[in-house]
Amino acid sequence: MYKKKFCKDTIVIIAGITMMAVGTVLAAIAEQLGVKYYSSKTNSVYLQAIVDQLHQHRKLLIIDEAHFLKWESFEALRQIWDEAQAGIVYVGMERLYSQMRGRNSKYLYDCLLYTSPSP
């Protein structure tokens, strides 16, 4: 809805249970950027192609259902942000925010800013 209403250049990925791993996330982003995805290439090749495209064409990435993502996917997205300075928004269930604030794994998410929804 956001993409249709406000910004057609936004990339919206719905993670979900079938899109948790880094390869599937990168493939979905690459497809929306027009980057050809070949399973014989490594994830690092696609990550670099995504970064290159985002350097040329600034776009916002919205990752819905982000609470399903594996840590490696968060790391790949963080690398995209680091190298391309693309805006990334994570949307997810309370589990995502609890995971980010959790006592045992909080340091893993220190590089991410998060805003919990108001009660």
Side-chain angles (χ1 to χ4, degrees):
M1 184 168 155
Y2 174 88
K3 181 175 180 171
K4 189 182 270 188
K5 189 172 183 178
F6 297 107
C7 187
K8 294 179 182 179
D9 285 340
T10 300
I11 295 172
V12 178
I13 303 298
I14 300 173
I17 194 71
T18 61
M19 191 178 295
M20 301 167 29
V22 67
T24 54
V25 172
L26 292 176
I29 295 169
E31 180 181 335
Q32 290 197 36
L33 286 171
V35 173
K36 298 271 188 220
Y37 190 86
Y38 301 101
S39 59
S40 61
K41 299 280 185 177
T42 65
N43 287 338
S44 62
V45 169
Y46 290 108
L47 191 132
Q48 191 57 53
I50 288 167
V51 167
D52 292 344
Q53 280 293 319
L54 289 173
H55 267 301
Q56 294 176 23
H57 311 284
R58 295 277 186 211
K59 294 179 186 275
L60 175 66
L61 303 175
I62 297 177
I63 313 298
D64 195 8
E65 302 291 336
H67 55 279
F68 285 110
L69 293 178
K70 292 184 177 183
W71 175 248
E72 293 83 2
S73 297
F74 278 108
E75 280 297 306
L77 291 164
R78 184 194 56 78
Q79 188 172 346
I80 289 170
W81 181 84
D82 282 347
E83 294 182 22
Q85 295 294 299
I88 300 176
V89 176
Y90 297 107
V91 180
M93 300 298 286
E94 182 62 31
R95 185 175 106 191
L96 174 65
Y97 304 114
S98 296
Q99 184 179 2
M100 288 179 166
R101 291 188 308 255
R103 188 178 320 173
N104 295 335
S105 63
K106 184 177 181 182
Y107 73 94
L108 296 174
Y109 293 94
D110 282 349
C111 62
L112 303 175
L113 297 175
Y114 65 90
T115 303
S116 183
S118 302

